[in-house]
Amino acid sequence: MRITFYETAGGRRPVEEYLRSLERPERARAAEGLQNIQRFGFEAVGVQFRQIRGKLWEIRIQTGEAHRFFYVMASREEMVLLHAYRKKTQKAPSREIATAERRLKEVLHGAED
């Protein structure tokens, strides 16, 4: 499976920026989780997947802290990481979901062109 990152019109990649902001050990564990997804798809070890709403899904990677990555499957083999955040509460904050859904619409609209 191929993982790509959502990119803003200005060329920013917010999920990559989030990953770079992590402390080195956390960043390494998160990168390992994402590499496992690329190698083994939905059978990756140490990673959990959960549907949020419609085509919006969530990846949970335990790195000592709980990190969440929202994604959409742009095609059968391409996962687009839309948004990432550090989970601090039981439920995903609506602000985080709204950000991911806004980006999801951009990705799907671009895919239709």
Side-chain angles (χ1 to χ4, degrees):
M1 178 173 311
R2 186 178 61 176
I3 294 178
T4 59
F5 295 93
Y6 164 82
E7 189 171 323
T8 67
R12 287 184 49 239
R13 292 183 173 175
V15 175
E16 279 187 349
E17 292 170 9
Y18 175 82
L19 287 167
R20 281 195 300 269
S21 76
L22 299 176
E23 295 293 325
R24 182 167 282 169
E26 281 186 82
R27 184 173 54 238
R29 286 191 290 275
E32 181 182 3
L34 294 174
Q35 288 169 352
N36 283 338
I37 293 169
Q38 287 189 107
R39 265 189 240 124
F40 306 110
F42 296 110
E43 303 301 317
V45 176
V47 180
Q48 294 178 322
F49 302 91
R50 179 173 75 102
Q51 186 174 23
I52 299 297
R53 196 178 304 154
K55 294 184 179 190
L56 182 64
W57 288 75
E58 176 186 75
I59 300 169
R60 186 171 98 193
I61 300 174
Q62 280 298 126
T63 63
E65 301 250 358
H67 298 281
R68 300 294 192 268
F69 298 85
F70 289 117
Y71 72 93
V72 63
M73 293 303 295
S75 71
R76 233 180 136 185
E77 290 297 319
E78 181 185 9
M79 174 185 285
V80 179
L81 298 182
L82 302 166
H83 183 58
Y85 72 101
R86 184 182 315 260
K87 187 159 183 179
K88 297 178 182 176
T89 62
Q90 189 69 15
K91 193 173 178 185
S94 56
R95 181 183 81 234
E96 307 292 357
I97 293 172
T99 298
E101 286 181 323
R102 188 172 57 252
R103 292 173 182 171
L104 169 88
K105 287 177 186 170
E106 287 179 37
V107 167
L108 294 180
H109 175 69
E112 293 171 359
D113 290 343

